[in-house]
Amino acid sequence: VNDILGHQAGDEMLIEVSRRLRGCAPTADVVARLGGDEFVVLLTACPDADAIAECIVRCLNVPVTIQGTVLRPSLSLGLASMARDNVGASELLRQADIAMYAAKAAGKNRFLRFHPDMMTALVQRTYMEGGLQLAVARSEISVDFQPIVSHRMDQVVTFEALARWDCDGTRVPPSVFIPLAERTGLINEIGAEVMARGMAELAPWLSRDPSRSLAVNVSGVQLQDPDFAQTVLGLAEAKGVAAYQLVLEVTESVFFDADCTLIKQLSTLREAGARVALDDFGTGYSSLGRLQDLPVDTVKIDRTFVSMVHTGNERLPILSSMINMAHSLGLTVTAEGVETAAQADYLTALECDTLQGYLFSLPQPGRRLEQ
Ligand code: C2E
Ligand code: CA
Ligand code: CA
């Protein structure tokens, strides 16, 4: 509210929220604002705290008009009891706080009562986040490469760099640490590390044939950085990699509410010769029809579509339409998650340009590239 309507409106919102909280709490009890958008309600002699919590969630979520704009406050509420757990004041507040975060993670506009398991989950998350913060400095981030092959030419044309994190000797899957890195902003540092390592390890292979390329995954967060494109191009120059040998893989979701920073970053990179690939194509929100407006050169058909091919004798109009449509827009097509020869043949028959998947190779460390 502060950012969109100004501080005056923010103050009005705080006053309205306080009024609603007061209305839910018994008169003898305390409603306080801790700071920012955090409030505490202290119930001293209340037989049914759950009922009050329910009332607060319901009342706060009612729309309010502030300076002519209708807003709907949302909240996450954590509940902790002194009597039940026999804890002191500061511990009580801490438990309520932890329960509040759990409520937020569970999808907002709800309340949750503190449970010791929440503590364990929080400690684990905090521990992992702490570890991830040091991962680059401790050289725990490495890169595996997975080939993308031209089936027709029977050769590797691209390697996709995939981030790996070894935390205290245990490999944490990207599906766990990438979302965490995106939430905390650490993806900027990690993404840069993956790019630098990827370029350094692949430079000799790339230099032998200008048609070869290196693909790197880029998340939406990174594209919010107005210097992103220049940083990438600077890095490529420093590592001796030509810009036209770079492919930036982004998912459809980054275009969902694309702003001008993002489009500008991708345009700058494309003007310098780099290509943009639309990753996991078909799983996001964008339609085939939107493809022609997006600054992309390649679509990577998600493996859920590839996995529809079993025997190779089925009719799959979705797959053929995707490929034909992309081609008619002048885009190249890569199929992901190709695991069987039947799938490879099927896709090649549909004129899919390049294939990637376990059929050809698992992601491997750079030292095994030649193999
Ligand atoms: P992605 O970009 O779709 O990467 C392909 C994923 O599919 C990889 O998983 C790869 O190991 C897996 N894969 C490849 N071939 C096959 C196959 O034939 N069958 C099956 N079932 N899977 C296959 P990985 O390495 O676990 O990466 C998961 C995701 O993490 C990536 O999905 C990407 O979205 C993200 N990610 C990885 N590295 C980075 C990075 O450096 N930056 C960003 N922003 N995201 C990354
Ligand atoms: Ca990818
Ligand atoms: Ca993908």
Side-chain angles (χ1 to χ4, degrees):
V1 176
N2 276 343
D3 292 345
I4 296 163
L5 300 175
H7 285 262
Q8 173 74 33
D11 289 352
E12 281 178 36
M13 177 67 117
L14 288 171
I15 291 166
E16 176 59 22
V17 166
S18 314
R19 197 176 291 134
R20 291 181 183 188
L21 289 174
R22 265 276 44 123
C24 293
T27 27
D29 290 325
V30 177
V31 173
R33 175 174 166 240
L34 277 194
D37 59 357
E38 289 201 330
F39 288 83
V40 169
V41 176
L42 177 67
L43 304 172
T44 49
C46 176
D48 191 359
D50 288 58
I52 297 199
E54 254 165 49
C55 168
I56 292 176
V57 172
R58 206 175 44 243
C59 294
L60 240 68
N61 207 223
V62 173
V64 52
T65 307
I66 288 179
Q67 295 181 0
T69 307
V70 180
L71 299 165
R72 188 162 192 175
S74 63
L75 85 158
S76 305
L77 195 159
L79 199 61
S81 298
M82 207 171 228
R84 202 177 275 200
D85 303 314
N86 194 23
V87 293
S90 68
E91 178 61 17
L92 183 69
L93 208 50
R94 199 170 75 103
Q95 290 187 353
D97 214 27
I98 288 165
M100 187 267 285
Y101 278 109
K104 194 179 258 190
K108 287 191 167 181
N109 288 324
R110 66 182 69 217
F111 76 94
L112 284 179
R113 188 177 272 280
F114 174 78
H115 188 279
D117 286 353
M118 291 174 178
M119 206 52 215
T120 322
L122 184 77
V123 167
Q124 268 167 2
R125 226 176 17 250
T126 314
Y127 175 77
M128 194 153 82
E129 191 180 319
L132 195 58
Q133 238 143 24
L134 298 171
V136 171
R138 287 182 176 159
S139 300
E140 289 176 347
I141 301 289
S142 61
V143 180
D144 275 0
F145 297 90
Q146 189 181 32
I148 299 176
V149 306
S150 158
H151 204 40
R152 214 172 301 113
M153 292 190 291
D154 200 22
Q155 63 188 19
V156 177
V157 288
T158 305
F159 277 105
E160 176 176 359
L162 292 157
R164 297 293 177 253
W165 179 29
D166 293 295
C167 174
D168 297 332
T170 313
R171 184 149 277 196
V172 185
S175 56
V176 173
F177 77 83
I178 296 286
L180 177 64
E182 287 175 337
R183 266 200 312 279
T184 54
L186 286 167
I187 193 68
N188 290 309
E189 192 189 352
I190 292 169
E193 176 77 0
V194 170
M195 211 167 283
R197 283 178 182 256
M199 287 177 187
E201 291 187 47
L202 222 58
W205 181 79
L206 290 169
S207 69
R208 271 180 264 139
D209 184 342
S211 70
R212 292 172 170 176
S213 53
L214 164 67
V216 186
N217 294 286
V218 175
S219 39
V221 181
Q222 292 170 271
L223 293 167
Q224 294 306 319
D225 172 5
D227 296 325
F228 178 77
Q230 283 315 324
T231 309
V232 172
L233 295 172
L235 204 57
E237 196 175 348
K239 304 285 177 192
V241 172
Y244 62 81
Q245 288 183 298
L246 287 179
V247 179
L248 289 312
E249 296 195 0
V250 298
T251 53
E252 296 171 84
S253 58
V254 310
F255 295 110
F256 191 48
D257 44 15
D259 59 7
C260 50
T261 313
L262 185 143
I263 300 290
K264 187 157 181 294
Q265 297 312 305
L266 292 180
S267 307
T268 307
L269 285 159
R270 290 178 82 220
E271 279 157 22
R275 278 162 289 160
V276 176
L278 201 53
D279 208 349
D280 306 340
F281 182 68
T283 58
Y285 294 100
S286 80
S287 60
L288 283 173
R290 256 194 89 196
L291 255 187
Q292 60 184 337
D293 304 322
L294 301 179
V296 301
D297 305 274
T298 301
V299 295
K300 294 189 77 176
I301 297 181
D302 190 73
R303 64 173 155 277
T304 50
F305 298 97
V306 173
S307 67
M308 293 171 181
V309 180
H310 297 287
T311 60
N313 294 321
E314 45 276 269
R315 269 197 70 244
L316 296 168
I318 291 199
L319 259 183
S320 48
S321 319
M322 276 174 147
I323 296 172
N324 291 338
M325 171 79 100
H327 279 161
S328 63
L329 293 169
L331 308 174
T332 57
V333 181
T334 302
E336 298 187 297
V338 179
E339 295 181 352
T340 67
Q343 291 170 342
D345 292 340
Y346 193 100
L347 291 154
T348 305
L350 292 180
E351 314 241 352
C352 188
D353 303 279
T354 48
L355 310 176
Q356 178 180 18
Y358 295 165
L359 174 66
F360 305 100
S361 172
L362 292 169
Q364 300 274 346
R367 60 189 145 75
R368 304 200 51 192
L369 284 190
E370 290 305 333
Q371 253 176 299

